[in-house]
Amino acid sequence: IWLCVVVASCASRPFAAEGGTEMVMTPSIMHAAFMAVFSSSILSLAYGMVHVCRSLSTMIDAFCCDVVNQESPQRAAHVWNMTQAILRKVSSSVQPYFLVLAMVLVSTVPLLLIGVLRNYGSPTVAMIPALFMTCGILYMLLLAATISEQCERVPSLVNAMSFGEGTEEARQ
């Protein structure tokens, strides 16, 4: 994805030829370097957040599989409390990174419009780098929303389980 962003950005930027007013499609080294560094930092941050979200999702799935094999509701409740504590700690640790990616996503649209209006080349080609970055960030946000949805369904799963006689009254 990163290579596509850099190549599309370089291909969409027109520059004036030396000594003339005619526009030529030759990317500058400075623009290519800036775009490579910026897009690699944003996409690597989004990619890291995807891995964090996948790990948390796997942890929730592992708990749900283990709760089916549990014989004690107290043990399942203890493991779920530990899982929730880990989820809270991780979410508070990665919250600034989510904020950075959300700000990049919010600022991409106006900057994209400005870039298209100032671009002398094809507006469609000029939008490709921002669309790649936007898709990567949106994918990460979708995974984060999936974790919240999974956490909402776990209590229903635990309440639907039967741990033997007499445990239903204690859970009500």
Side-chain angles (χ1 to χ4, degrees), residues 41-63:
S41 63
I42 295 299
L43 287 175
S44 64
L45 183 60
Y47 187 66
M49 296 305 296
V50 164
H51 280 290
V52 168
C53 291
R54 291 250 184 220
S55 299
L56 294 176
S57 179
T58 302
M59 187 172 64
I60 295 168
D61 288 340
F63 168 78

Side-chain angles (χ1 to χ4, degrees), residues 58-73:
T58 302
M59 187 172 64
I60 295 168
D61 288 340
F63 168 78
C64 291
C65 290
D66 288 343
V67 79
V68 173
N69 297 327
Q70 292 282 334
E71 295 180 9
S72 167

Side-chain angles (χ1 to χ4, degrees), residues 55-155:
S55 299
L56 294 176
S57 179
T58 302
M59 187 172 64
I60 295 168
D61 288 340
F63 168 78
C64 291
C65 290
D66 288 343
V67 79
V68 173
N69 297 327
Q70 292 282 334
E71 295 180 9
S72 167
Q74 292 81 16
R75 175 80 177 134
H78 176 70
V79 171
W80 178 243
N81 287 337
M82 287 187 351
T83 304
Q84 281 185 320
I86 292 169
L87 290 170
R88 284 189 191 108
K89 180 66 176 171
V90 170
S91 68
S92 67
S93 297
V94 299
Q95 186 176 5
Y97 305 115
F98 272 95
L99 180 65
V100 167
L101 290 173
M103 293 305 294
V104 167
L105 190 63
V106 168
S107 64
T108 298
V109 175
L111 292 175
L112 178 64
L113 292 175
I114 291 170
V116 168
L117 293 175
R118 296 182 79 195
N119 191 359
Y120 298 105
S122 170
T124 306
V125 175
M127 290 190 296
I128 291 174
L131 291 177
F132 275 122
M133 290 178 50
T134 302
C135 288
I137 295 171
L138 287 175
Y139 180 68
M140 183 267 314
L141 291 174
L142 178 70
L143 288 176
T146 303
I147 294 170
S148 297
E149 184 181 355
Q150 284 179 315
C151 288
E152 288 176 357
R153 293 182 181 184
V154 170

Side-chain angles (χ1 to χ4, degrees), residues 12-46:
S12 67
R13 186 162 168 99
F15 295 92
E18 286 185 28
T21 58
E22 156 185 338
M23 300 304 284
V24 181
M25 296 296 286
T26 58
S28 72
I29 294 172
M30 188 71 133
H31 174 74
F34 173 75
M35 191 62 191
V37 169
F38 177 73
S39 63
S40 68
S41 63
I42 295 299
L43 287 175
S44 64
L45 183 60

